[in-house]
């Protein structure tokens, strides 16, 4: 299988930044090769574009690497998966055009900028792959105000049989019981003395987890919690890894084993 993984060096550190915390004693998930043979070929389409103002100055830098999927054994599923990414790319381009047209062209002071100070970056990393699943983490980095940047993580998990984007309900045997279990598990992990300096918020964990992003990894199912949800915003993102053998509510199809 051929696969091209490429991330702009400028934003590589944003993909899994230092402000992200792993709770539960396992290291942060990394891109891995799994025991079964991957069924899909994933190619990332790298893009670097600088939009220029009327006076010739660079105003906005666009960086992205939207993936394209090929599956000779299941082309229909590949078309469906590619449709998701194509829609995301269309939205990314529309957002860039909006910033450029409504902000930069209508703000005369910006035309004096000698270098591009405004950035839109959307990067995907393939975290987990085998003959059934593709799991991606997307990092969006935006600096369109010239002052404070914004970083957002999102996860995408695709079933290679159907091409469907999986929901949490799709991968568990009983969603309500699974969320209660995860809430209890995470509460136990957060009581670890290692995290005694973190001021956890009193929150409805089952509801929060139902809305959280998640992805498959070599070590287990990883829950991705956005800043401000369970701790002060300054604490950043949190990743909670639930080992597969601890999560009895995960359907057998998704009980992936770690590489020895």
């Amino acid at each position: 299988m051929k696969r091209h993984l490429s991330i702009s060096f400028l934003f590589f550190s944003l993909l899994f930044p230092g402000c992200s915390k792993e709770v539960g004693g396992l290291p942060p998930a990394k891109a891995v090769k799994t025991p079964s043979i991957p069924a899909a070929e994933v190619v990332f389409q790298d893009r670097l574009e600088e939009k220029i103002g009327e006076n010739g100055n660079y105003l906005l830098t666009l960086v992205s690497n939207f993936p394209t999927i090929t599956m000779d054994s299941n082309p229909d599923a590949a078309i469906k998966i590619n449709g998701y990414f194509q829609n995301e790319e269309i939205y990314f381009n529309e957002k860039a055009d909006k910033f450029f047209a409504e902000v930069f062209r209508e703000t005369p002071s910006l035309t004096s900028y000698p270098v591009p100070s405004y950035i839109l970056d959307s990067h995907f990393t393939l975290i987990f792959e085998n003959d059934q699943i593709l799991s991606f983490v997307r990092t969006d980095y935006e600096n369109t105000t010239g002052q404070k940047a914004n970083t957002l993580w999102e996860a995408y998990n695709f079933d290679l049989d159907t091409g469907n984007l999986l929901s949490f309900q799709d991968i568990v045997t009983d969603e309500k019981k699974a969320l209660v279990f995860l809430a209890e598990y995470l509460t136990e992990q957060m009581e670890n003395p290692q995290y005694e300096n973190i001021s956890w918020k009193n929150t409805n964990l089952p509801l929060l987890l139902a809305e959280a992003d998640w992805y498959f990894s070599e070590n287990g199912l990883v829950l991705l919690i956005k800043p401000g949800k369970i701790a002060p915003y300054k604490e950043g993102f949190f990743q909670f890894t639930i080992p597969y053998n601890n999560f009895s509510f995960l359907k057998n199809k998704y009980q992936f084993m770690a590489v020895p």
Side-chain angles (χ1 to χ4, degrees):
M1 172 188 157
K2 298 179 181 178
R3 186 171 78 252
H4 174 54
L5 296 175
S6 177
I7 299 179
S8 171
F9 74 93
L10 179 61
F11 302 108
F12 181 81
S13 62
L14 295 171
L15 185 60
F16 291 105
C19 63
S20 171
K21 298 175 177 61
E22 173 71 19
V23 177
L26 294 175
K30 298 179 181 179
V32 298
K33 291 185 177 180
T34 57
S36 54
I37 299 175
E41 178 180 347
V42 183
V43 177
F44 293 87
Q45 309 296 330
D46 296 312
R47 173 189 182 186
L48 174 62
E49 179 183 349
E50 293 176 325
K51 286 187 173 288
I52 302 174
E54 293 181 356
N55 66 348
N57 287 345
Y58 292 100
L59 296 179
L60 176 64
T61 299
L62 302 177
V63 186
S64 66
N65 72 335
F66 289 92
T68 299
I69 311 301
T70 302
M71 286 194 292
D72 294 336
S73 61
N74 195 347
D76 291 339
I79 290 173
K80 185 180 291 188
I81 295 172
N82 287 331
Y84 286 103
F85 291 124
Q86 289 164 3
N87 287 335
E88 293 295 328
E89 187 170 12
I90 289 172
Y91 177 73
F92 177 80
N93 291 333
E94 289 176 346
K95 182 163 58 174
D97 290 341
K98 179 179 179 180
F99 282 128
F100 192 58
E102 297 182 6
V103 179
F104 303 112
R105 288 181 179 174
E106 296 180 5
T107 309
S109 63
L110 296 180
T111 60
S112 63
Y113 277 51
V115 295
S117 300
Y118 296 79
I119 300 167
L120 286 177
D121 184 311
S122 189
H123 265 86
F124 288 83
T125 295
L126 179 60
I127 297 293
F128 185 89
E129 60 175 334
N130 62 12
D131 60 351
Q132 300 179 61
I133 294 294
L134 290 177
S135 281
F136 296 86
V137 170
R138 174 181 181 174
T139 305
D140 281 355
Y141 174 85
E142 298 182 5
N143 184 350
T144 55
T145 65
Q147 298 177 355
K148 185 177 181 181
N150 181 48
T151 302
L152 176 66
W153 287 5
E154 293 182 286
Y156 297 74
N157 304 277
F158 293 98
D159 186 302
L160 295 183
D161 291 333
T162 64
N164 292 336
L165 186 65
L166 291 169
S167 68
F168 184 75
Q169 187 177 19
D170 293 330
I171 67 170
V172 294
T173 56
D174 187 313
E175 183 181 18
K176 183 177 180 179
K177 291 181 179 179
L179 290 173
V180 171
F181 165 79
L182 291 179
E184 293 174 349
Y185 182 88
L186 298 186
T187 298
E188 180 181 345
Q189 300 305 315
M190 289 187 289
E191 291 175 353
N192 190 311
Q194 179 181 354
Y195 308 108
E196 62 183 358
N197 293 326
I198 296 178
S199 299
W200 302 111
K201 291 184 176 181
N202 293 325
T203 186
N204 184 335
L205 275 180
L207 177 61
L208 184 149
L209 294 174
E211 300 173 348
D213 275 35
W214 55 271
Y215 57 90
F216 294 103
S217 76
E218 180 187 38
N219 294 322
L221 186 75
V222 180
L223 301 171
L224 183 59
I225 311 297
K226 294 179 173 61
K229 294 294 185 179
I230 59 173
Y233 193 90
K234 66 179 182 179
E235 298 290 349
F237 289 86
F238 284 85
Q239 295 186 87
F240 301 87
T241 300
I242 316 299
Y244 293 120
N245 59 358
N246 285 20
F247 196 6
S248 61
F249 295 102
L250 199 61
K251 290 180 180 178
N252 288 336
K253 179 178 180 179
Y254 306 112
Q255 289 281 359
F256 302 123
M257 300 301 295
V259 177

